Amino acid sequence: MSQEVPFEYDTIANRANSLNPKIQQAQSPEERKQLVEAKRELHRRVLEMPSTDHYDPGYRRLRYCRYADDFVLGVIGPKSEAEAIMEKVKAFLHEGLRLKHSEAKTGLKHNSEIIRFLGYNITVINSEKIVKSVYRGQHVRRRAGKAHITLYVPEERLQKFATERRYGNWEIMKGASNPYLSQASEVETITSKRRCGSCNSCGDRAI
């Protein structure tokens, strides 16, 4: 089931799009300037409004990801329905597959919380950051991080990676010298930098 676009958002977005042919057909620079400014103002209003109804009571979504015997389910819907799904999964594992789930790794979390899956952190970001991009040949401004699922590499994982490979001191973020690279070819140097590039910043790293 798809989410409905709010009426006001849809109306203003359509008004902005309807100005495109008028801009292309403008007879004078002044007329074109006025139409372009009117379109920009409509886009500014659109960017301040939600494009979907996040509290739509009829909207449902279920996503599934598995690796070997570990899996994670993403549910958009009431908590009661998420709990019912979890109980059905437990029953299927026990009765259908004769498998026992791990109590330590099984549970429900809200999308504002971090989920640890296969050694990585999964969370939902709700940034209001506006970025410029090209959509269908048109230069547009859009919100980049609204309700996007993001995968982060935990800091302890990066620290272990750097320490095991002797890339330097993680605590003070000082890299170790590598005399080999002074004698290596350009291709070998670039390849080596790509391998250790994930440790060039501190804190969790988004993927």
Side-chain angles (χ1 to χ4, degrees):
M1 181 183 297
S2 60
Q3 283 180 295
E4 293 185 3
V5 178
F7 177 77
E8 187 178 4
Y9 177 95
D10 195 36
T11 300
I12 296 177
N14 288 336
R15 283 174 57 190
N17 292 332
S18 69
L19 293 177
N20 290 333
K22 295 180 180 180
I23 293 173
Q24 295 174 356
Q25 299 168 11
Q27 299 298 317
S28 66
E30 184 62 29
E31 181 186 2
R32 186 179 189 279
K33 182 180 178 180
Q34 292 178 356
L35 291 170
V36 169
E37 183 56 38
K39 181 181 177 181
R40 286 176 177 171
E41 177 57 31
L42 291 172
H43 272 305
R44 279 193 287 268
R45 291 176 58 188
V46 164
L47 291 174
E48 295 173 355
M49 303 166 59
S51 59
T52 56
D53 182 2
H54 294 283
Y55 300 99
D56 182 354
Y59 181 72
R60 300 290 185 274
R61 183 61 59 85
L62 176 64
R63 289 289 183 263
Y64 167 75
C65 179
R66 180 181 71 86
Y67 181 82
D69 60 347
D70 289 323
F71 65 91
V72 61
L73 295 174
V75 179
I76 297 179
K79 182 179 180 180
S80 59
E81 293 185 9
E83 292 173 338
I85 291 172
M86 183 174 67
E87 293 304 320
K88 288 181 180 179
V89 170
K90 289 181 180 179
F92 174 74
L93 290 174
H94 178 69
E95 300 170 6
L97 301 180
R98 296 292 187 269
L99 296 175
K100 185 178 181 180
H101 67 277
S102 170
E103 288 292 348
K105 297 168 63 177
T106 303
L108 292 178
K109 284 197 173 184
H110 190 263
N111 64 11
S112 60
E113 300 178 274
I114 293 177
I115 298 173
R116 181 63 62 88
F117 181 58
L118 301 177
Y120 295 90
N121 292 337
I122 301 175
T123 188
V124 177
I125 59 174
N126 287 291
S127 170
E128 295 292 342
K129 183 179 179 181
I130 306 297
V131 298
K132 295 180 179 179
S133 63
V134 178
Y135 178 71
R136 295 181 179 178
Q138 297 285 334
H139 291 273
V140 298
R141 291 159 60 87
R142 62 184 180 83
R143 286 168 289 201
K146 194 68 174 178
H148 283 190
I149 297 176
T150 306
L151 181 68
Y152 286 92
V153 182
E155 182 177 353
E156 61 269 20
R157 192 181 183 94
L158 291 175
Q159 183 173 5
K160 181 181 178 182
F161 179 89
T163 302
E164 290 179 347
R165 290 161 178 76
R166 299 180 180 178
Y167 286 147
N169 189 321
W170 179 268
E171 298 298 330
I172 61 175
M173 298 306 296
K174 182 178 180 180
S177 61
N178 190 341
Y180 162 76
L181 295 180
S182 63
Q183 306 296 326
S185 67
E186 292 182 356
V187 173
E188 291 172 321
T189 301
I190 294 173
T191 303
S192 176
K193 287 184 177 180
R194 285 179 177 174
R195 283 199 301 267
C196 63
S198 61
C199 295
N200 287 338
S201 66
C202 60
D204 289 356
R205 186 68 177 257
I207 296 179

